[in-house]
């Protein structure tokens, strides 16, 4: 039998979790169980690789000290790595006992969080151990505390050895329904390289800079496209202009996808076409860009767009619409 203990605290001398897992390790070794203790803070640069050791065990202990806001960050990283890299089918065969000790408030919540996390991964959860201990030395001196810890270690051994049955968890069912990501099947060399990249602060910083630079490029590109869109349709409208002495007026076309309005001012033989914010004109209409595309391509007229309901709203002198179609002759 192989049992791995993963300690997610920071290794401080007064951490109450340390004497608990040391006592559990001693009891398990007396029961002739191969017991491996992994202090996650010592593996902080290779946690993605360390997660691969889970599948080598028959059972594990997830031990976390309560920090200022729940379980420690190293334990969260480790659980994230298990979600990404460990075969969920293999996890389904592994028993886990959670341990949460604290010198502050919240050990019960951390115990529940560890259990929930392992169940979500698909694993089996045994009854855990949690407690508030003001002085960590009491865990080595109190006969009552020692008896509790030793009994817990024996329960872990017994549960794994007897393949203790557990009720199905709703979290298992939920994970099966929504699907879990397929684990990344990495070779040892690839896993080590991944860990090196993840832990290399300079590499991570450079990646963030590259992402920021790319975001800036895309932003500039979008701004450039916005600026170029302010020229859209102007040349086509001027080219299609066939002046008529009886047609004059200001036509404001609000294209939904554009920030500014397309303003067409016609006075006899003269025409100006601009993009600007316009409150009103002799005729104001609102349409989608696709409708304007059809008009410029000669597949639709302004009057037909209004009559068919393709313009979402219109104000002004409707009789001028026919005149607008008269002076703007778009060819197919």
């Amino acid at each position: 039998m192989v049992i791995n203990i993963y300690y997610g605290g920071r290794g401080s001398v007064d951490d109450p979790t340390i004497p608990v897992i040391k006592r559990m390790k001693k009891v398990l070794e007396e029961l002739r169980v191969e017991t491996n203790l992994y202090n996650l803070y010592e593996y902080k640069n290779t946690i993605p690789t360390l997660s691969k050791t889970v599948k080598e065990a028959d059972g594990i202990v997830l031990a976390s000290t309560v920090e200022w806001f729940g379980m420690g960050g190293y334990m969260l990283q480790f659980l994230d790595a298990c979600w990404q890299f460990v075969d969920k089918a293999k996890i389904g065969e592994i028993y886990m006992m959670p341990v949460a000790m604290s010198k502050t408030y919240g050990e019960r919540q951390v115990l529940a969080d560890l259990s929930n996390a392992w169940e979500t991964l698909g694993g089996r959860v045994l009854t855990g151990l949690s407690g508030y201990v003001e002085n960590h030395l009491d865990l080595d001196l109190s006969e009552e505390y020692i008896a509790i810890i030793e009994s817990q270690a024996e329960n872990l051994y017994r549960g794994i050895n007897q393949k203790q049955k557990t009720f199905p968890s709703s979290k298992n069912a939920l994970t099966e329904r929504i699907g879990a990501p397929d684990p990344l099947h990495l070779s040892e060399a690839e896993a080590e390289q991944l860990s090196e990249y993840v832990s290399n602060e300079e590499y991570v910083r450079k990646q963030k800079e590259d992402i920021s630079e790319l975001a800036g490029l895309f932003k500039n590109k979008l701004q450039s496209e916005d600026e170029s869109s302010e020229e859209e349709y102007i040349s086509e409208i001027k080219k299609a202009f066939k002046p008529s002495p009886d047609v004059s007026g200001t036509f404001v076309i609000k294209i939904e996808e554009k920030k500014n309005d397309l303003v067409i001012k016609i006075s006899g033989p003269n025409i100006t076409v601009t993009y600007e914010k316009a409150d009103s004109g002799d005729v104001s209409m609102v349409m989608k860009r696709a409708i304007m595309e059809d008009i410029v391509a000669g597949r639709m007229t302004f009057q037909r767009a209004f009559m068919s309901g393709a313009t979402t709203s219109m104000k002004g002198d409707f009789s001028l619409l026919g005149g607008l179609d008269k002076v703007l002759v778009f060819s197919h």
Side-chain angles (χ1 to χ4, degrees):
M1 183 187 298
V2 177
I3 294 178
N4 292 344
I5 301 175
Y6 299 94
Y7 164 65
R10 300 184 181 274
S12 58
V13 294
D14 61 344
D15 188 335
T17 306
I18 293 175
V20 172
I21 57 178
K22 284 184 176 179
R23 177 71 61 175
M24 291 182 72
K25 185 174 186 295
K26 180 180 178 182
V27 172
L28 292 170
E29 288 174 341
E30 289 174 355
L31 293 170
R32 298 184 179 179
V33 175
E34 181 183 337
T35 309
N36 304 302
L37 173 59
Y38 296 99
N39 296 317
L40 296 184
Y41 67 89
E42 295 177 351
Y43 295 87
K44 61 183 178 181
N45 294 334
T46 55
I47 284 179
T49 304
L50 186 65
S51 65
K52 297 181 69 175
T53 61
V54 169
K55 64 182 182 181
E56 301 165 359
D58 300 295
I60 68 170
V61 175
L62 295 180
S64 181
T65 305
V66 179
E67 297 194 358
W68 74 279
F69 201 70
M71 75 174 75
Y74 294 135
M75 182 59 73
L76 284 171
Q77 290 181 45
F78 179 72
L79 289 169
D80 282 344
C82 289
W83 176 258
Q84 289 293 334
F85 303 122
V86 182
D87 187 345
K88 305 303 180 296
K90 183 63 180 175
I91 287 181
E93 302 172 359
I94 300 173
Y95 290 87
M96 187 280 292
M97 176 175 285
V99 173
M101 304 300 294
S102 78
K103 298 177 67 176
T104 180
Y105 173 80
E107 71 281 355
R108 293 292 179 88
Q109 183 59 53
V110 171
L111 192 78
D113 290 342
L114 290 169
S115 298
N116 290 337
W118 195 250
E119 285 183 339
T120 302
L121 285 166
R124 304 181 182 190
V125 177
L126 298 173
T127 302
L129 174 67
S130 67
Y132 166 82
V133 179
E134 192 170 349
N135 186 350
H136 70 285
L137 296 176
D138 292 342
L139 292 165
D140 287 323
L141 301 175
S142 169
E143 293 297 329
E144 290 183 354
Y145 287 168
I146 291 172
I148 292 172
I149 298 168
E150 290 181 345
S151 175
Q152 197 71 21
E154 291 167 0
N155 290 339
L156 173 61
Y157 171 80
R158 192 177 301 111
I160 298 171
N161 189 50
Q162 297 177 358
K163 297 189 181 302
Q164 180 176 317
K165 299 297 182 181
T166 58
F167 279 114
S169 165
S170 60
K171 292 182 176 60
N172 296 147
L174 179 62
T175 302
E176 289 175 3
R177 288 175 186 170
I178 66 175
D182 293 330
L184 297 178
H185 300 289
L186 304 176
S187 66
E188 290 293 335
E190 289 171 333
E192 289 177 7
Q193 187 176 38
L194 175 64
S195 295
E196 180 181 344
Y197 286 150
V198 170
S199 61
N200 188 323
E201 294 182 2
E202 179 63 22
Y203 173 81
V204 173
R205 183 188 63 78
K206 183 67 169 61
Q207 291 298 304
K208 289 181 178 179
E209 289 179 355
D210 290 344
I211 291 171
S212 178
E213 183 178 350
L214 284 171
L217 288 173
F218 280 117
K219 183 178 179 181
N220 292 336
K221 186 174 184 297
L222 289 173
Q223 288 177 343
S224 177
E225 288 176 353
D226 284 343
E227 292 171 0
S228 65
S229 70
E230 298 288 86
E231 302 296 324
E232 194 173 26
Y233 308 131
I234 290 179
S235 61
E236 288 90 339
I237 291 172
K238 289 182 176 179
K239 184 178 178 181
F241 181 55
K242 309 295 182 186
S244 175
D246 60 336
V247 178
S248 294
T250 299
F251 303 85
V252 177
I253 304 172
K254 298 179 183 292
I255 301 174
E256 293 180 7
E257 292 85 350
K258 293 183 178 290
K259 293 188 299 182
N260 291 323
D261 306 324
L262 178 62
V263 180
I264 304 171
K265 295 180 180 178
I266 299 173
S267 178
N270 302 313
I271 184 172
T272 60
V273 187
T274 59
Y275 279 96
E276 58 186 85
K277 287 291 184 184
D279 294 330
S280 61
D282 296 304
V283 175
S284 298
M285 65 188 83
V286 180
M287 65 179 67
K288 292 186 178 296
R289 186 174 182 275
I291 302 302
M292 190 64 193
E293 287 283 338
D294 286 341
I295 293 173
V296 172
R299 297 187 293 268
M300 176 78 74
T301 64
F302 288 104
Q303 193 164 26
R304 279 174 53 203
F306 168 66
M307 296 299 293
S308 66
T311 55
T312 55
S313 68
M314 184 168 170
K315 299 177 183 177
D317 187 350
F318 296 166
S319 64
L320 288 177
L321 272 183
L324 185 61
D325 287 325
K326 180 180 178 180
V327 297
L328 295 182
V329 182
F330 298 102
S331 58
H332 289 281

